[in-house]
Amino acid sequence: MGWMSENVESLKSIQIRQVLTQAINLGMIVTSALIIWKALMCITGSESPVVVVLSGSMEPGFKRGDILFLHMNKDPILAGEIVVFNVDGREIPIVHRVIKVHERQDTGEVEILTKGDNNYGDDRLLYAHGQLWLQRHHIMGKAVGFLPYVGWVTIIMTEKPIIKYFLIGALGLLVITSKD
C-alpha cells in the first residue's frame, strides 16, 4: 500500500508545466511512430509493411507469432512466392504461398491461386463467395523477410485484452509520474 500512496503524493505534487511537458512528449512519441509507419508504407509500397502470422497454416516455414516484412512493386507475382492478401468480407489478411498464376488471354489480367503450406487444399474456400482466383489488388505484399516469435506480443495482447489495458495503464502512469 505504501507504493500506491507514494504515487498519489507524487501525482499531487506535479505542476501544470510538468504535466504539459509529459503530454507533449507522449504526443511526440505517438506522432513519431505514425511517421515511421507511413515512411515504411512509402518505401515498401505495401499498405501494411509488417504483419504477424496468426495461424499455423504456413508451418514449418513460418510459425504462429512470426513477423513478416512485406514489399510490393510492379514485378509479376510468381508461383512459389509467399504473399499476404486481403479477401473481400474478411478483416484479417492471410499469409499463404502462390501455387498458380494464370493470365487471362482476353484482358491480360493476372489471376492468382494460393495455399497454406500446412493446408491440404487450395484457398478457394477462404476467398469471397463465388471467387475462384485472387487479382493483384487483393495482394498486400510479398514476404521478403521475417523475425521469429516477436509477433507473440501482438497475439497475446489481442487474445487477452486485459494485459493490453494493464500495460497501457502502467506505461501511462510511468509517463505521468516521471520527474524528467
Side-chain angles (χ1 to χ4, degrees), residues 30-173:
V30 170
T31 303
S32 296
L34 290 173
I35 289 171
I36 290 169
W37 185 260
K38 288 294 185 181
L40 281 173
M41 287 174 65
C42 291
I43 292 168
T44 64
S46 176
E47 64 188 76
S48 183
V50 178
V51 294
V52 177
V53 178
L54 298 176
S55 74
S57 67
M58 284 302 290
E59 288 182 3
F62 297 120
K63 293 178 176 44
R64 187 169 193 243
D66 290 352
I67 289 184
L68 298 181
F69 300 101
L70 305 182
H71 188 265
M72 191 64 181
N73 54 25
K74 301 288 183 193
D75 294 343
I77 296 170
L78 305 173
E81 292 183 316
I82 296 170
V83 297
V84 177
F85 60 91
N86 273 326
V87 176
D88 299 332
R90 287 183 177 249
E91 292 180 22
I92 298 174
I94 299 170
V95 178
H96 281 174
R97 188 178 304 277
V98 175
I99 58 171
K100 268 188 196 168
V101 178
H102 171 74
E103 186 173 345
R104 295 181 61 111
Q105 296 298 327
D106 53 347
T107 62
E109 187 176 310
V110 174
E111 297 177 321
I112 301 158
L113 182 62
T114 57
K115 175 188 173 296
D117 289 354
N118 202 22
N119 294 350
Y120 291 111
D122 62 41
D123 289 342
R124 287 185 171 143
L125 293 174
L126 296 176
Y127 300 163
H129 182 69
Q131 182 179 3
L132 298 177
W133 299 88
L134 294 174
Q135 278 71 44
R136 190 165 181 95
H137 70 272
H138 291 112
I139 307 297
M140 295 172 60
K142 300 176 190 179
V144 293
F146 78 103
L147 278 175
Y149 308 114
V150 179
W152 271 105
V153 174
T154 302
I155 292 173
I156 289 169
M157 286 198 284
T158 302
E159 291 180 354
K160 309 269 190 224
I162 190 73
I163 293 173
K164 175 172 51 178
Y165 299 132
F166 175 76
L167 285 173
I168 290 171
L171 289 172
L173 188 62

